[in-house]
Amino acid sequence: MGNGVREGPVEFQRDVEPVTAWIPAEDNQEKKKVLNSLMAGALAGAVAKTAVAPLDRTKIMFQGGLTGWFILQEAYRLIYRTYLNEGFWSLWRGNSATMVRVIPYAAIQFCAHEEYKQILGNYYGFQGKALTPFPRFIAGSLAGTTAAMVTYPLDMVRARMAVTPKEMYSSIVHVFIRISREEGLKTLYRGFTPTILGVIPYAGLSFFTYETLKKAHAEHSGRAQPSPPERLLFGACAGLIGQSASYPLDVVRRRMQTAGVLGHTYSSILLTMHDIVREEGLVRGLYKGLSMNWVKGPIAVGISFTTFDLTQILLRKLQER
């Protein structure tokens, strides 16, 4: 009897000791994975958007209706005139607002994509394996939607700064203050619905295309990982497909975001589309600036996906060491 009392606690400690040691290690590994995704995503977004900022600002000016018919040659003339009239760094006007938005947006989007892939993989029974096409598309769409919902007001501010002279808004905070006072807080979410409707096919097709091309490359080449130039090419294809599919809603979003400073009163998606088509035509209105996007988009998305992948690989190697 006495021996039984002495041996009981010893056996109990042996049973629970591995469990208490295992849980923190598992949690720590998951935290490292999430942190790596956030850091790599933030860097990917910052590098990609800074690289194409002059082209991005020009595209927003056309989408906002600030300039006439869009042709690629006229876009480059606009860039050159902006450089002559306002200086070299004016080509990056609004980029600070872009960075404030794109760093958390890209961090959340890439991190969310990794998490959604894991959740869907567990749900469909693909643990550790590549997802099939439909879950692959859903993971991308959910990741883009999550990021857009969290960071939308910053996108609104960025659009306002891109289409207005520097005298109108002195800083990001100034934009928030003036919009809140003069147009109301709800204006910060004007264009939110077309944004979400556009980000579903855009993010879904972008991630789907990139992941599909990487999977096909691994199957045909026998190499587990593509080279950096191959990643850039896969990302460029992903950006081209994703942005082409969602472009009309991107134009509608920009018109609704910039309506307050450009003298328009767009109140809904359908009315905005109707006014654009009536005034400018179907192709020249809803697809204004698309050829610029075919230059800018693939470059930005290619850089973004490549930077994310390579940064994650680098962070994992540093942690292993």
Side-chain angles (χ1 to χ4, degrees):
M1 185 77 176
N3 291 337
V5 173
R6 285 193 300 270
E7 289 173 3
V10 176
E11 288 299 315
F12 178 75
Q13 289 173 1
R14 284 173 184 168
D15 287 342
V16 298
E17 190 174 3
V19 177
T20 54
W22 175 81
I23 292 175
E26 187 72 16
D27 287 348
N28 191 45
Q29 193 67 24
E30 184 62 26
K31 287 178 182 176
K32 283 183 180 179
K33 180 185 171 185
V34 171
L35 185 60
N36 284 355
S37 296
L38 288 171
M39 291 173 62
L43 182 62
V47 172
K49 279 296 185 181
T50 300
V52 298
L55 297 176
D56 211 21
R57 185 191 177 194
T58 304
K59 184 200 74 171
I60 292 174
M61 293 174 75
F62 277 102
Q63 287 181 327
L66 199 60
T67 58
W69 302 123
F70 181 90
I71 56 174
L72 203 55
Q73 187 178 4
E74 181 58 31
Y76 292 120
R77 283 190 189 137
L78 179 59
I79 292 174
Y80 185 63
R81 286 199 301 271
T82 303
Y83 162 69
L84 290 178
N85 296 333
E86 302 180 39
F88 177 74
W89 293 112
S90 67
L91 296 173
W92 275 265
R93 174 166 168 73
N95 195 52
S96 57
T98 301
M99 289 299 101
V100 171
R101 169 193 168 265
V102 83
I103 287 175
Y105 180 92
I108 293 168
Q109 180 175 238
F110 278 107
C111 182
H113 182 246
E114 294 297 305
E115 294 302 308
Y116 284 131
K117 279 200 303 182
Q118 183 175 327
I119 292 169
L120 290 170
N122 292 337
Y123 180 78
Y124 285 101
F126 300 128
Q127 295 95 330
K129 299 178 183 178
L131 295 174
T132 52
F134 181 68
R136 206 177 300 154
F137 174 83
I138 294 299
S141 296
L142 289 173
T145 302
T146 302
M149 290 175 66
V150 174
T151 62
Y152 186 78
L154 295 170
D155 186 49
M156 174 70 167
V157 169
R158 171 221 179 191
R160 284 293 181 92
M161 292 188 75
V163 302
T164 55
K166 57 185 177 182
E167 295 80 15
M168 187 167 184
Y169 297 119
S170 60
S171 66
I172 298 170
V173 175
H174 189 209
V175 181
F176 275 109
I177 293 172
R178 283 198 60 176
I179 289 177
S180 301
R181 286 179 179 173
E182 298 172 10
E183 302 174 56
L185 283 172
K186 67 179 182 180
T187 303
L188 292 172
Y189 280 89
R190 181 180 291 162
F192 179 72
T193 302
T195 297
I196 295 300
L197 292 177
V199 84
I200 290 171
Y202 169 67
L205 287 171
S206 295
F207 279 105
F208 168 82
T209 303
Y210 185 68
E211 294 286 328
T212 299
L213 289 173
K214 284 205 304 180
K215 183 174 180 291
H217 171 271
E219 291 173 352
H220 287 85
S221 69
R223 289 186 284 125
Q225 296 292 337
S227 65
E230 288 169 335
R231 291 180 193 273
L232 282 170
L233 179 61
F234 299 161
C237 292
L240 187 65
I241 293 171
Q243 292 186 342
S244 297
S246 61
Y247 195 78
L249 286 166
D250 193 39
V251 173
V252 170
R253 168 176 63 122
R254 292 301 181 202
R255 290 298 179 91
M256 294 181 76
Q257 286 177 336
T258 58
V261 293
L262 298 180
H264 297 290
T265 53
Y266 299 128
S267 57
S268 70
I269 298 173
L270 291 178
L271 286 176
T272 303
M273 280 187 169
H274 177 267
D275 289 348
I276 292 172
V277 173
R278 178 172 52 82
E279 295 170 9
E280 303 172 47
L282 178 64
V283 176
R284 291 197 171 190
L286 292 178
Y287 289 90
K288 177 184 278 189
L290 179 58
S291 55
M292 172 68 80
N293 240 38
W294 284 341
V295 176
K296 175 192 77 71
I299 295 172
V301 178
I303 291 173
S304 182
F305 277 125
T306 303
T307 304
F308 176 77
D309 280 355
L310 296 181
T311 304
Q312 271 210 318
I313 292 170
L314 176 62
L315 289 172
R316 280 198 296 264
K317 287 183 178 179
L318 289 174
Q319 287 175 353
E320 288 170 3
R321 290 178 183 177

